[in-house]
């Protein structure tokens, strides 16, 4: 498999993905809704992950405006979710990609993918409180970039996947703000992770098509399953329905989102959609939201029937997703193509789900 890793660690694809994905059809797609029916707002260059803070009614958007050697910093935009206007910019010393938010403690964790670290920000003052180093080496042949982050607020743990051929999972004690464990044996390129605090399980998917279950107390691997052995999967993202024990897994190189039983690892269903990137489960509305980056589309799927309820077409490339606290508003970061990125800003898209 030929694999390409974007600087954010968010996009893996075959070289022919962009052309192939547009030729794929989806029989269950609802009628397309154009982006101009929804609220949009240009924000800045290099948008990546989003985080919604219900306590302050703020949407945080992490960005890396430049990859030039002399421009190492990032920006976290504080956005008014009602208007999508930027209220403030938080400058970070390192480039900003992934996000994890602790609303109660007023802390925002930013993944510094290309630096192999995590930045801790006070959401009230906007000050950087700490930088937690994760990658053991900055040498090119030994460096491991960070990718996804999941916060266990109850036990004050932050889990961070490290994407390299010999992938790792880092564990941070957020009270002490230090790395307390590096778990190896996570398979090639561990990518998406999801947490079930009630079961005490962490789920990780990787480039070998595995679903790995870890115990969050002992940090031992309880189970690892190759989900669909008949196909070569490079899993990217995972959404979780903890109530029914289902995982929703994307592979951007192949169509369909897999619905997997998290206990057995067996496939329960394959959602009939085109090649997918991000996936987000909304338990309040029993819906899934899926971005189809190269096809410039976002799907809204009934998580019970697996029927595509709505399909929204975008002008540029939909990337990451976030939900409001009440589950009634969906936000997406939309990135410009390489050809347009210097001329146009990335932007936010807001979808009022109750109006669909």
């Amino acid at each position: 498999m030929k694999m390409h890793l974007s600087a954010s660690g968010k996009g893996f694809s075959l070289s022919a993905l962009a052309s192939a994905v547009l030729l794929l059809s989806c029989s269950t797609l609802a009628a397309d809704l154009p982006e101009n029916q929804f609220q949009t707002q240009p924000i800045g260059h290099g948008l990546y992950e989003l985080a919604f803070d219900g306590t302050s009614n703020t949407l945080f958007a992490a960005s890396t405006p430049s990859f030039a050697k002399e421009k190492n910093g990032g920006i976290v935009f504080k956005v008014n979710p009602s208007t999508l206007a930027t209220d403030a910019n938080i400058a970070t010393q390192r480039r900003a990609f992934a996000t994890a938010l602790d609303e109660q403690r007023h802390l925002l964790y930013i993944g510094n993918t290309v630096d192999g670290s995590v930045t801790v920000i006070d959401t009230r003052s906007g000050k950087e409180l700490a930088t937690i180093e994760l990658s053991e080496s900055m040498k090119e042949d030994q460096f491991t970039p960070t990718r996804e982050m999941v916060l266990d607020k109850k036990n004050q743990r932050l889990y961070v996947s490290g994407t390299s051929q010999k992938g790792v999972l880092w564990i941070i004690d957020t009270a002490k703000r230090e790395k307390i464990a590096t778990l190896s044996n996570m398979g090639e390129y561990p990518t998406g992770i999801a947490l079930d605090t009630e079961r005490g399980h962490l789920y990780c998917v990787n480039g070998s098509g595995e679903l790995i279950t870890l115990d969050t107390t002992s940090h031992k691997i309880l189970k690892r399953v190759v989900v669909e052995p008949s196909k070569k999967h490079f899993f990217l993202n995972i959404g979780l329905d903890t109530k029914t024990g289902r995982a929703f897994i994307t592979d951007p190189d192949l169509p369909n989102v897999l619905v997997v039983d998290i206990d057995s690892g067996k496939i329960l269903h394959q959602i009939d959609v085109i090649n997918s990137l991000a996936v987000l489960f909304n338990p309040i509305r029993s819906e899934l939201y899926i971005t189809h980056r190269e096809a410039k589309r976002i799907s809204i799927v009934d998580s019970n029937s697996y029927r595509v309820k709505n399909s929204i077409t975008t002008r540029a490339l939909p990337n990451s997703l976030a939900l409001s606290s009440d589950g009634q508003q969906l936000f997406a970061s939309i990135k410009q193509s390489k050809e347009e990125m210097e001329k146009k800003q990335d932007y936010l898209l807001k979808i009022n789900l109750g109006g669909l």
Side-chain angles (χ1 to χ4, degrees):
M1 170 179 285
K2 183 178 180 181
M3 184 194 72
H4 301 282
L5 171 61
S6 73
S8 70
K10 302 302 287 187
F12 297 90
S13 62
L14 294 175
S15 58
L17 173 61
S19 57
V21 72
L22 296 176
L23 298 176
L24 293 168
S25 63
C26 178
S27 59
T28 59
L29 280 177
D32 288 348
L33 299 174
E35 179 188 89
N36 59 19
Q37 293 187 14
F38 304 94
Q39 192 173 352
T40 61
Q41 179 66 46
I43 296 295
H45 298 283
L47 278 188
Y48 288 96
E49 286 198 14
L50 309 174
F52 188 91
D53 187 340
T55 60
S56 64
N57 193 37
T58 300
L59 180 68
F60 293 97
S63 76
T64 290
S66 175
F67 287 94
K69 289 184 178 180
E70 67 277 9
K71 297 180 180 179
N72 298 319
I75 300 172
V76 176
F77 297 99
K78 294 182 69 173
V79 177
N80 183 319
S82 298
T83 64
L84 297 186
T86 300
D87 291 334
N89 296 345
I90 300 173
T92 60
Q93 295 183 53
R94 298 187 177 187
R95 296 183 179 104
F97 297 96
T99 62
L101 178 68
D102 189 335
E103 295 174 304
Q104 286 70 37
R105 296 180 176 90
H106 309 288
L107 297 173
L108 178 66
Y109 299 89
I110 297 293
N112 315 124
T113 296
V114 296
D115 294 291
S117 62
V118 170
T119 297
V120 187
I121 295 173
D122 184 312
T123 57
R124 293 168 295 185
S125 67
K127 293 182 178 180
E128 290 190 17
L129 302 176
T131 299
I132 304 168
E133 303 289 351
L134 297 176
S135 183
E136 282 71 20
S137 174
M138 290 302 291
K139 294 181 180 179
E140 186 175 350
D141 60 341
Q142 300 175 21
F143 174 71
T144 302
T146 64
R147 187 186 183 270
E148 196 64 78
M149 303 194 302
V150 170
L151 181 64
D152 182 349
K153 301 175 187 178
K154 178 181 177 182
N155 298 302
Q156 293 190 271
R157 296 289 184 267
L158 181 69
Y159 298 93
V160 186
S161 60
T163 54
S164 63
Q165 193 164 8
K166 295 181 180 179
V168 300
L169 182 75
W170 292 295
I171 303 172
I172 293 172
D173 183 323
T174 56
K176 297 179 179 179
R177 294 177 186 161
E178 63 182 32
K179 177 178 64 176
I180 58 172
T182 300
L183 307 183
S184 56
N185 197 30
M186 299 304 295
E188 292 186 339
Y189 300 97
T191 50
I193 49 180
L195 177 70
D196 186 336
T197 53
E198 293 300 319
R199 294 172 184 240
H201 288 172
L202 186 81
Y203 303 95
C204 178
V205 294
N206 62 27
S208 302
E210 291 184 301
L211 172 63
I212 301 174
T213 306
L214 297 101
D215 182 276
T216 56
T217 300
S218 67
H219 301 144
K220 292 182 178 180
I221 293 177
L222 301 176
K223 187 182 302 182
R224 62 192 312 156
V225 178
V226 178
V227 174
E228 194 175 18
S230 62
K231 291 183 179 180
K232 176 61 178 176
H233 276 293
F234 199 111
F235 290 145
L236 189 59
N237 287 311
I238 177 173
L240 196 62
D241 177 1
T242 57
K243 186 176 180 180
T244 63
R246 295 177 297 169
F248 308 98
I249 305 174
T250 65
D251 176 346
D253 294 330
L254 294 173
N256 298 337
V257 170
L258 302 184
V259 184
V260 177
D261 181 275
I262 56 176
D263 291 323
S264 67
K266 293 183 178 179
I267 296 175
L268 303 174
H269 192 82
Q270 299 198 31
I271 302 175
D272 187 12
V273 289
I274 52 182
N275 304 48
S276 305
L277 184 68
V279 58
L280 178 63
F281 174 64
N282 183 349
I284 296 173
R285 294 179 57 89
S286 297
E287 290 177 338
L288 283 174
Y289 312 111
I290 305 166
T291 61
H292 314 287
R293 180 183 168 98
E294 301 300 329
K296 301 178 181 178
R297 184 188 301 273
I298 299 173
S299 293
I300 298 176
V301 178
D302 185 308
S303 63
N304 295 317
S305 68
Y306 305 122
R307 178 181 64 87
V308 177
K309 300 166 66 174
N310 296 101
S311 181
I312 298 160
T313 56
T314 59
R315 290 178 287 109
L317 312 174
N319 194 65
S320 299
L321 299 168
L323 277 169
S324 59
S325 300
D326 62 3
Q328 301 305 312
Q329 296 175 328
L330 177 68
F331 301 90
S333 61
I334 314 291
K335 298 180 66 62
Q336 300 295 342
S337 65
K338 289 182 179 179
E339 296 75 21
E340 298 288 339
M341 60 188 303
E342 293 185 3
K343 297 180 288 185
K344 298 179 181 179
Q345 290 185 329
D346 295 343
Y347 60 97
L348 292 176
L349 168 67
K350 174 184 172 182
I351 301 166
N352 290 314
L353 299 167
L356 297 179

